[in-house]
mmCIF file of all heavy atoms in Angstrom:
data_model
loop_
_atom_site.group_PDB
_atom_site.id
_atom_site.type_symbol
_atom_site.label_atom_id
_atom_site.label_comp_id
_atom_site.label_asym_id
_atom_site.label_seq_id
_atom_site.Cartn_x
_atom_site.Cartn_y
_atom_site.Cartn_z
ATOM 1 N N VAL A 197 -5.288 -58.971 38.712
ATOM 2 C CA VAL A 197 -5.309 -57.503 38.490
ATOM 3 C C VAL A 197 -4.458 -57.216 37.281
ATOM 4 O O VAL A 197 -3.324 -57.682 37.145
ATOM 5 C CB VAL A 197 -4.756 -56.773 39.726
ATOM 6 C CG1 VAL A 197 -4.694 -55.266 39.470
ATOM 7 C CG2 VAL A 197 -5.606 -57.074 40.945
ATOM 8 N N GLY A 198 -5.030 -56.419 36.334
ATOM 9 C CA GLY A 198 -4.297 -56.103 35.092
ATOM 10 C C GLY A 198 -3.278 -54.964 35.297
ATOM 11 O O GLY A 198 -3.100 -54.451 36.412
ATOM 12 N N GLU A 199 -2.616 -54.640 34.220
ATOM 13 C CA GLU A 199 -1.611 -53.553 34.217
ATOM 14 C C GLU A 199 -2.265 -52.235 34.630
ATOM 15 O O GLU A 199 -3.423 -51.960 34.273
ATOM 16 C CB GLU A 199 -1.041 -53.374 32.804
ATOM 17 C CG GLU A 199 -0.122 -54.485 32.343
ATOM 18 C CD GLU A 199 1.216 -54.408 33.029
ATOM 19 O OE1 GLU A 199 1.879 -53.366 32.946
ATOM 20 O OE2 GLU A 199 1.605 -55.419 33.684
ATOM 21 N N LYS A 200 -1.475 -51.388 35.309
ATOM 22 C CA LYS A 200 -1.959 -50.051 35.634
ATOM 23 C C LYS A 200 -2.274 -49.285 34.357
ATOM 24 O O LYS A 200 -1.499 -49.354 33.402
ATOM 25 C CB LYS A 200 -0.886 -49.264 36.384
ATOM 26 C CG LYS A 200 -0.822 -49.592 37.869
ATOM 27 C CD LYS A 200 0.037 -48.612 38.612
ATOM 28 C CE LYS A 200 1.495 -48.989 38.573
ATOM 29 N NZ LYS A 200 2.365 -48.132 39.362
ATOM 30 N N LEU A 201 -3.388 -48.564 34.359
ATOM 31 C CA LEU A 201 -3.746 -47.785 33.158
ATOM 32 C C LEU A 201 -2.910 -46.499 33.136
ATOM 33 O O LEU A 201 -2.621 -45.919 34.188
ATOM 34 C CB LEU A 201 -5.234 -47.444 33.184
ATOM 35 C CG LEU A 201 -6.168 -48.651 33.234
ATOM 36 C CD1 LEU A 201 -7.590 -48.241 33.533
ATOM 37 C CD2 LEU A 201 -6.111 -49.417 31.897
ATOM 38 N N ASP A 202 -2.528 -46.088 31.925
ATOM 39 C CA ASP A 202 -1.722 -44.868 31.785
ATOM 40 C C ASP A 202 -2.668 -43.692 31.627
ATOM 41 O O ASP A 202 -3.125 -43.366 30.529
ATOM 42 C CB ASP A 202 -0.822 -45.026 30.526
ATOM 43 C CG ASP A 202 0.245 -43.963 30.480
ATOM 44 O OD1 ASP A 202 0.382 -43.185 31.435
ATOM 45 O OD2 ASP A 202 0.936 -43.888 29.434
ATOM 46 N N LEU A 203 -2.974 -43.061 32.764
ATOM 47 C CA LEU A 203 -4.076 -42.069 32.796
ATOM 48 C C LEU A 203 -3.560 -40.644 32.595
ATOM 49 O O LEU A 203 -2.386 -40.333 32.841
ATOM 50 C CB LEU A 203 -4.783 -42.153 34.147
ATOM 51 C CG LEU A 203 -5.500 -43.482 34.456
ATOM 52 C CD1 LEU A 203 -6.066 -43.427 35.870
ATOM 53 C CD2 LEU A 203 -6.606 -43.753 33.451
ATOM 54 N N MET A 204 -4.497 -39.769 32.258
ATOM 55 C CA MET A 204 -4.224 -38.339 32.079
ATOM 56 C C MET A 204 -3.916 -37.634 33.408
ATOM 57 O O MET A 204 -3.051 -36.781 33.492
ATOM 58 C CB MET A 204 -5.510 -37.780 31.443
ATOM 59 C CG MET A 204 -5.579 -36.332 31.216
ATOM 60 S SD MET A 204 -7.197 -36.096 30.336
ATOM 61 C CE MET A 204 -7.287 -34.332 30.422
ATOM 62 N N GLY A 205 -4.642 -38.029 34.443
ATOM 63 C CA GLY A 205 -4.432 -37.445 35.776
ATOM 64 C C GLY A 205 -4.692 -38.552 36.804
ATOM 65 O O GLY A 205 -4.863 -39.713 36.449
ATOM 66 N N ILE A 206 -4.731 -38.170 38.083
ATOM 67 C CA ILE A 206 -4.898 -39.148 39.178
ATOM 68 C C ILE A 206 -3.963 -40.313 38.946
ATOM 69 O O ILE A 206 -4.321 -41.482 39.038
ATOM 70 C CB ILE A 206 -6.387 -39.632 39.292
ATOM 71 C CG1 ILE A 206 -7.354 -38.508 39.146
ATOM 72 C CG2 ILE A 206 -6.610 -40.347 40.623
ATOM 73 C CD1 ILE A 206 -7.327 -37.451 40.239
ATOM 74 N N ARG A 207 -2.732 -39.953 38.566
ATOM 75 C CA ARG A 207 -1.732 -40.991 38.379
ATOM 76 C C ARG A 207 -1.192 -41.340 39.774
ATOM 77 O O ARG A 207 -1.343 -40.592 40.701
ATOM 78 C CB ARG A 207 -0.611 -40.441 37.462
ATOM 79 C CG ARG A 207 -1.166 -40.043 36.080
ATOM 80 C CD ARG A 207 -0.223 -39.180 35.303
ATOM 81 N NE ARG A 207 1.011 -39.873 34.969
ATOM 82 C CZ ARG A 207 1.160 -40.726 33.997
ATOM 83 N NH1 ARG A 207 0.138 -41.006 33.191
ATOM 84 N NH2 ARG A 207 2.300 -41.294 33.756
ATOM 85 N N GLY A 208 -0.614 -42.477 39.939
ATOM 86 C CA GLY A 208 -0.123 -42.824 41.277
ATOM 87 C C GLY A 208 -1.192 -43.401 42.179
ATOM 88 O O GLY A 208 -1.031 -43.485 43.387
ATOM 89 N N PHE A 209 -2.329 -43.812 41.581
ATOM 90 C CA PHE A 209 -3.301 -44.484 42.441
ATOM 91 C C PHE A 209 -3.621 -45.867 41.921
ATOM 92 O O PHE A 209 -4.599 -46.514 42.335
ATOM 93 C CB PHE A 209 -4.582 -43.637 42.623
ATOM 94 C CG PHE A 209 -5.274 -43.929 43.903
ATOM 95 C CD1 PHE A 209 -4.703 -43.565 45.122
ATOM 96 C CD2 PHE A 209 -6.475 -44.631 43.936
ATOM 97 C CE1 PHE A 209 -5.323 -43.871 46.320
ATOM 98 C CE2 PHE A 209 -7.114 -44.936 45.137
ATOM 99 C CZ PHE A 209 -6.527 -44.547 46.319
ATOM 100 N N GLY A 210 -2.814 -46.357 40.993
ATOM 101 C CA GLY A 210 -2.888 -47.757 40.597
ATOM 102 C C GLY A 210 -4.226 -48.154 40.015
ATOM 103 O O GLY A 210 -4.784 -49.204 40.348
ATOM 104 N N THR A 211 -4.810 -47.330 39.136
ATOM 105 C CA THR A 211 -6.111 -47.630 38.535
ATOM 106 C C THR A 211 -5.915 -48.716 37.456
ATOM 107 O O THR A 211 -5.138 -48.500 36.514
ATOM 108 C CB THR A 211 -6.719 -46.343 37.923
ATOM 109 O OG1 THR A 211 -6.774 -45.370 38.948
ATOM 110 C CG2 THR A 211 -8.107 -46.585 37.368
ATOM 111 N N SER A 212 -6.621 -49.808 37.609
ATOM 112 C CA SER A 212 -6.350 -51.004 36.769
ATOM 113 C C SER A 212 -7.650 -51.773 36.499
ATOM 114 O O SER A 212 -8.607 -51.647 37.246
ATOM 115 C CB SER A 212 -5.400 -51.982 37.499
ATOM 116 O OG SER A 212 -4.293 -51.317 38.015
ATOM 117 N N PRO A 213 -7.634 -52.621 35.481
ATOM 118 C CA PRO A 213 -8.734 -53.571 35.338
ATOM 119 C C PRO A 213 -8.560 -54.755 36.308
ATOM 120 O O PRO A 213 -7.442 -54.997 36.779
ATOM 121 C CB PRO A 213 -8.604 -54.062 33.877
ATOM 122 C CG PRO A 213 -7.224 -53.749 33.451
ATOM 123 C CD PRO A 213 -6.667 -52.717 34.381
ATOM 124 N N VAL A 214 -9.648 -55.430 36.587
ATOM 125 C CA VAL A 214 -9.597 -56.624 37.462
ATOM 126 C C VAL A 214 -10.401 -57.747 36.782
ATOM 127 O O VAL A 214 -11.496 -57.490 36.241
ATOM 128 C CB VAL A 214 -10.188 -56.313 38.866
ATOM 129 C CG1 VAL A 214 -10.049 -57.532 39.769
ATOM 130 C CG2 VAL A 214 -9.494 -55.121 39.501
ATOM 131 N N PHE A 215 -9.845 -58.945 36.783
ATOM 132 C CA PHE A 215 -10.445 -60.094 36.081
ATOM 133 C C PHE A 215 -10.863 -61.175 37.081
ATOM 134 O O PHE A 215 -10.139 -61.458 38.012
ATOM 135 C CB PHE A 215 -9.442 -60.703 35.097
ATOM 136 C CG PHE A 215 -8.902 -59.667 34.122
ATOM 137 C CD1 PHE A 215 -7.754 -58.929 34.430
ATOM 138 C CD2 PHE A 215 -9.545 -59.441 32.912
ATOM 139 C CE1 PHE A 215 -7.249 -57.972 33.554
ATOM 140 C CE2 PHE A 215 -9.062 -58.481 32.021
ATOM 141 C CZ PHE A 215 -7.910 -57.756 32.314
ATOM 142 N N PHE A 216 -12.018 -61.750 36.805
ATOM 143 C CA PHE A 216 -12.526 -62.867 37.642
ATOM 144 C C PHE A 216 -12.771 -64.055 36.722
ATOM 145 O O PHE A 216 -13.607 -63.982 35.805
ATOM 146 C CB PHE A 216 -13.825 -62.478 38.339
ATOM 147 C CG PHE A 216 -13.676 -61.235 39.182
ATOM 148 C CD1 PHE A 216 -13.968 -59.982 38.640
ATOM 149 C CD2 PHE A 216 -13.216 -61.289 40.492
ATOM 150 C CE1 PHE A 216 -13.833 -58.822 39.384
ATOM 151 C CE2 PHE A 216 -13.072 -60.156 41.234
ATOM 152 C CZ PHE A 216 -13.374 -58.908 40.714
ATOM 153 N N ASP A 217 -12.046 -65.147 36.992
ATOM 154 C CA ASP A 217 -12.187 -66.330 36.154
ATOM 155 C C ASP A 217 -12.456 -67.526 37.090
ATOM 156 O O ASP A 217 -11.528 -68.043 37.691
ATOM 157 C CB ASP A 217 -10.852 -66.533 35.355
ATOM 158 C CG ASP A 217 -10.922 -67.731 34.424
ATOM 159 O OD1 ASP A 217 -12.024 -68.298 34.300
ATOM 160 O OD2 ASP A 217 -9.867 -68.082 33.872
ATOM 161 N N ASP A 218 -13.707 -67.847 37.238
ATOM 162 C CA ASP A 218 -14.134 -68.844 38.220
ATOM 163 C C ASP A 218 -13.506 -68.550 39.587
ATOM 164 O O ASP A 218 -12.901 -69.423 40.258
ATOM 165 C CB ASP A 218 -13.741 -70.271 37.774
ATOM 166 C CG ASP A 218 -14.759 -70.835 36.772
ATOM 167 O OD1 ASP A 218 -15.906 -70.352 36.779
ATOM 168 O OD2 ASP A 218 -14.388 -71.716 35.991
ATOM 169 N N CYS A 219 -13.611 -67.292 39.969
ATOM 170 C CA CYS A 219 -12.995 -66.838 41.244
ATOM 171 C C CYS A 219 -13.910 -67.277 42.395
ATOM 172 O O CYS A 219 -15.094 -66.890 42.452
ATOM 173 C CB CYS A 219 -12.871 -65.317 41.202
ATOM 174 S SG CYS A 219 -12.382 -64.608 42.746
ATOM 175 N N ARG A 220 -13.363 -68.070 43.311
ATOM 176 C CA ARG A 220 -14.171 -68.634 44.391
ATOM 177 C C ARG A 220 -13.915 -67.891 45.722
ATOM 178 O O ARG A 220 -12.763 -67.696 46.116
ATOM 179 C CB ARG A 220 -13.796 -70.111 44.594
ATOM 180 C CG ARG A 220 -14.359 -70.976 43.535
ATOM 181 C CD ARG A 220 -14.117 -72.468 43.729
ATOM 182 N NE ARG A 220 -14.769 -73.142 42.619
ATOM 183 C CZ ARG A 220 -16.044 -73.575 42.616
ATOM 184 N NH1 ARG A 220 -16.782 -73.428 43.700
ATOM 185 N NH2 ARG A 220 -16.564 -74.120 41.552
ATOM 186 N N ILE A 221 -15.021 -67.530 46.352
ATOM 187 C CA ILE A 221 -14.940 -66.894 47.685
ATOM 188 C C ILE A 221 -15.991 -67.540 48.596
ATOM 189 O O ILE A 221 -16.974 -68.063 48.099
ATOM 190 C CB ILE A 221 -15.185 -65.362 47.629
ATOM 191 C CG1 ILE A 221 -16.525 -65.064 46.923
ATOM 192 C CG2 ILE A 221 -14.035 -64.643 46.919
ATOM 193 C CD1 ILE A 221 -16.973 -63.635 47.079
ATOM 194 N N PRO A 222 -15.788 -67.482 49.901
ATOM 195 C CA PRO A 222 -16.835 -67.988 50.783
ATOM 196 C C PRO A 222 -18.113 -67.175 50.668
ATOM 197 O O PRO A 222 -18.039 -65.949 50.499
ATOM 198 C CB PRO A 222 -16.223 -67.839 52.194
ATOM 199 C CG PRO A 222 -14.768 -67.543 51.978
ATOM 200 C CD PRO A 222 -14.632 -66.955 50.627
ATOM 201 N N ALA A 223 -19.256 -67.834 50.730
ATOM 202 C CA ALA A 223 -20.555 -67.102 50.631
ATOM 203 C C ALA A 223 -20.695 -66.111 51.762
ATOM 204 O O ALA A 223 -21.422 -65.121 51.643
ATOM 205 C CB ALA A 223 -21.704 -68.124 50.640
ATOM 206 N N SER A 224 -19.983 -66.347 52.871
ATOM 207 C CA SER A 224 -20.045 -65.404 54.021
ATOM 208 C C SER A 224 -19.437 -64.065 53.660
ATOM 209 O O SER A 224 -19.561 -63.102 54.404
ATOM 210 C CB SER A 224 -19.355 -66.002 55.235
ATOM 211 O OG SER A 224 -18.021 -66.313 54.895
ATOM 212 N N ASN A 225 -18.751 -63.966 52.510
ATOM 213 C CA ASN A 225 -18.183 -62.655 52.097
ATOM 214 C C ASN A 225 -19.186 -61.775 51.399
ATOM 215 O O ASN A 225 -18.869 -60.653 50.985
ATOM 216 C CB ASN A 225 -16.990 -62.872 51.145
ATOM 217 C CG ASN A 225 -15.741 -63.287 51.876
ATOM 218 O OD1 ASN A 225 -15.842 -63.839 52.971
ATOM 219 N ND2 ASN A 225 -14.584 -63.013 51.312
ATOM 220 N N GLN A 226 -20.439 -62.265 51.267
ATOM 221 C CA GLN A 226 -21.435 -61.385 50.701
ATOM 222 C C GLN A 226 -21.691 -60.207 51.662
ATOM 223 O O GLN A 226 -21.688 -60.399 52.892
ATOM 224 C CB GLN A 226 -22.783 -62.133 50.459
ATOM 225 C CG GLN A 226 -23.785 -61.250 49.719
ATOM 226 C CD GLN A 226 -25.034 -62.010 49.310
ATOM 227 O OE1 GLN A 226 -25.068 -63.236 49.293
ATOM 228 N NE2 GLN A 226 -26.073 -61.258 48.981
ATOM 229 N N LEU A 227 -21.898 -59.030 51.077
ATOM 230 C CA LEU A 227 -22.035 -57.819 51.889
ATOM 231 C C LEU A 227 -23.442 -57.252 51.707
ATOM 232 O O LEU A 227 -23.825 -56.968 50.554
ATOM 233 C CB LEU A 227 -20.977 -56.795 51.437
ATOM 234 C CG LEU A 227 -20.850 -55.475 52.201
ATOM 235 C CD1 LEU A 227 -20.360 -55.739 53.628
ATOM 236 C CD2 LEU A 227 -19.869 -54.546 51.494
ATOM 237 N N GLY A 228 -24.174 -57.130 52.784
ATOM 238 C CA GLY A 228 -25.426 -56.376 52.701
ATOM 239 C C GLY A 228 -26.610 -57.106 52.105
ATOM 240 O O GLY A 228 -27.497 -56.489 51.549
ATOM 241 N N GLY A 229 -26.648 -58.426 52.179
ATOM 242 C CA GLY A 229 -27.823 -59.181 51.760
ATOM 243 C C GLY A 229 -28.182 -58.973 50.309
ATOM 244 O O GLY A 229 -27.319 -58.759 49.467
ATOM 245 N N ASN A 230 -29.492 -58.948 50.032
ATOM 246 C CA ASN A 230 -29.918 -58.920 48.620
ATOM 247 C C ASN A 230 -30.283 -57.538 48.113
ATOM 248 O O ASN A 230 -30.848 -57.383 47.067
ATOM 249 C CB ASN A 230 -31.106 -59.890 48.422
ATOM 250 C CG ASN A 230 -30.638 -61.341 48.618
ATOM 251 O OD1 ASN A 230 -29.440 -61.623 48.595
ATOM 252 N ND2 ASN A 230 -31.568 -62.216 48.902
ATOM 253 N N GLU A 231 -29.925 -56.520 48.905
ATOM 254 C CA GLU A 231 -30.282 -55.141 48.539
ATOM 255 C C GLU A 231 -29.119 -54.451 47.846
ATOM 256 O O GLU A 231 -28.898 -53.262 48.016
ATOM 257 C CB GLU A 231 -30.659 -54.334 49.790
ATOM 258 C CG GLU A 231 -31.921 -54.779 50.474
ATOM 259 C CD GLU A 231 -33.152 -54.337 49.674
ATOM 260 O OE1 GLU A 231 -33.224 -53.158 49.348
ATOM 261 O OE2 GLU A 231 -33.977 -55.198 49.399
ATOM 262 N N GLY A 232 -28.325 -55.246 47.080
ATOM 263 C CA GLY A 232 -27.060 -54.741 46.554
ATOM 264 C C GLY A 232 -27.128 -53.412 45.817
ATOM 265 O O GLY A 232 -26.326 -52.512 46.078
ATOM 266 N N PHE A 233 -28.089 -53.249 44.934
ATOM 267 C CA PHE A 233 -28.098 -52.040 44.092
ATOM 268 C C PHE A 233 -28.416 -50.792 44.906
ATOM 269 O O PHE A 233 -27.741 -49.759 44.769
ATOM 270 C CB PHE A 233 -29.095 -52.189 42.947
ATOM 271 C CG PHE A 233 -28.945 -51.087 41.922
ATOM 272 C CD1 PHE A 233 -27.889 -51.099 41.048
ATOM 273 C CD2 PHE A 233 -29.868 -50.051 41.854
ATOM 274 C CE1 PHE A 233 -27.714 -50.079 40.120
ATOM 275 C CE2 PHE A 233 -29.706 -49.025 40.940
ATOM 276 C CZ PHE A 233 -28.636 -49.057 40.054
ATOM 277 N N ARG A 234 -29.405 -50.919 45.776
ATOM 278 C CA ARG A 234 -29.771 -49.777 46.618
ATOM 279 C C ARG A 234 -28.588 -49.325 47.461
ATOM 280 O O ARG A 234 -28.268 -48.146 47.604
ATOM 281 C CB ARG A 234 -30.951 -50.153 47.530
ATOM 282 C CG ARG A 234 -31.651 -48.989 48.174
ATOM 283 C CD ARG A 234 -32.899 -49.465 48.917
ATOM 284 N NE ARG A 234 -32.641 -50.449 49.946
ATOM 285 C CZ ARG A 234 -32.164 -50.180 51.143
ATOM 286 N NH1 ARG A 234 -31.924 -48.957 51.494
ATOM 287 N NH2 ARG A 234 -31.957 -51.155 52.009
ATOM 288 N N VAL A 235 -27.881 -50.347 47.963
ATOM 289 C CA VAL A 235 -26.727 -50.107 48.833
ATOM 290 C C VAL A 235 -25.621 -49.368 48.047
ATOM 291 O O VAL A 235 -25.030 -48.390 48.522
ATOM 292 C CB VAL A 235 -26.216 -51.488 49.296
ATOM 293 C CG1 VAL A 235 -24.819 -51.414 49.793
ATOM 294 C CG2 VAL A 235 -27.194 -52.059 50.290
ATOM 295 N N VAL A 236 -25.358 -49.830 46.826
ATOM 296 C CA VAL A 236 -24.303 -49.208 46.015
ATOM 297 C C VAL A 236 -24.639 -47.742 45.768
ATOM 298 O O VAL A 236 -23.816 -46.854 45.905
ATOM 299 C CB VAL A 236 -24.156 -49.960 44.662
ATOM 300 C CG1 VAL A 236 -23.318 -49.174 43.700
ATOM 301 C CG2 VAL A 236 -23.567 -51.358 44.909
ATOM 302 N N MET A 237 -25.916 -47.500 45.434
ATOM 303 C CA MET A 237 -26.324 -46.126 45.123
ATOM 304 C C MET A 237 -26.235 -45.219 46.353
ATOM 305 O O MET A 237 -25.814 -44.062 46.254
ATOM 306 C CB MET A 237 -27.752 -46.102 44.584
ATOM 307 C CG MET A 237 -27.853 -46.740 43.204
ATOM 308 S SD MET A 237 -26.794 -45.907 41.989
ATOM 309 C CE MET A 237 -25.791 -47.204 41.364
ATOM 310 N N GLN A 238 -26.570 -45.758 47.506
ATOM 311 C CA GLN A 238 -26.478 -44.951 48.741
ATOM 312 C C GLN A 238 -25.024 -44.574 49.049
ATOM 313 O O GLN A 238 -24.747 -43.472 49.496
ATOM 314 C CB GLN A 238 -27.069 -45.712 49.922
ATOM 315 C CG GLN A 238 -28.582 -45.516 50.024
ATOM 316 C CD GLN A 238 -29.189 -46.311 51.147
ATOM 317 O OE1 GLN A 238 -28.490 -46.928 51.957
ATOM 318 N NE2 GLN A 238 -30.501 -46.282 51.224
ATOM 319 N N GLY A 239 -24.110 -45.507 48.766
ATOM 320 C CA GLY A 239 -22.703 -45.209 49.006
ATOM 321 C C GLY A 239 -22.203 -44.124 48.065
ATOM 322 O O GLY A 239 -21.409 -43.269 48.432
ATOM 323 N N LEU A 240 -22.668 -44.172 46.794
ATOM 324 C CA LEU A 240 -22.242 -43.161 45.837
ATOM 325 C C LEU A 240 -22.740 -41.779 46.208
ATOM 326 O O LEU A 240 -22.065 -40.782 46.024
ATOM 327 C CB LEU A 240 -22.719 -43.533 44.427
ATOM 328 C CG LEU A 240 -22.008 -44.739 43.785
ATOM 329 C CD1 LEU A 240 -22.642 -45.116 42.461
ATOM 330 C CD2 LEU A 240 -20.514 -44.480 43.592
#
Side-chain angles (χ1 to χ4, degrees):
V197 177
E199 288 286 304
K200 279 192 274 184
L201 301 169
D202 192 7
L203 297 175
M204 176 175 169
I206 318 294
R207 299 165 64 80
F209 207 69
T211 305
S212 312
V214 183
F215 304 89
F216 303 93
D217 181 9
D218 279 336
C219 171
R220 286 185 178 269
I221 55 167
S224 57
N225 282 25
Q226 186 173 344
L227 185 65
N230 293 342
E231 292 286 310
F233 191 73
R234 195 173 57 80
V235 162
V236 168
M237 291 302 125
Q238 275 178 5
L240 289 174

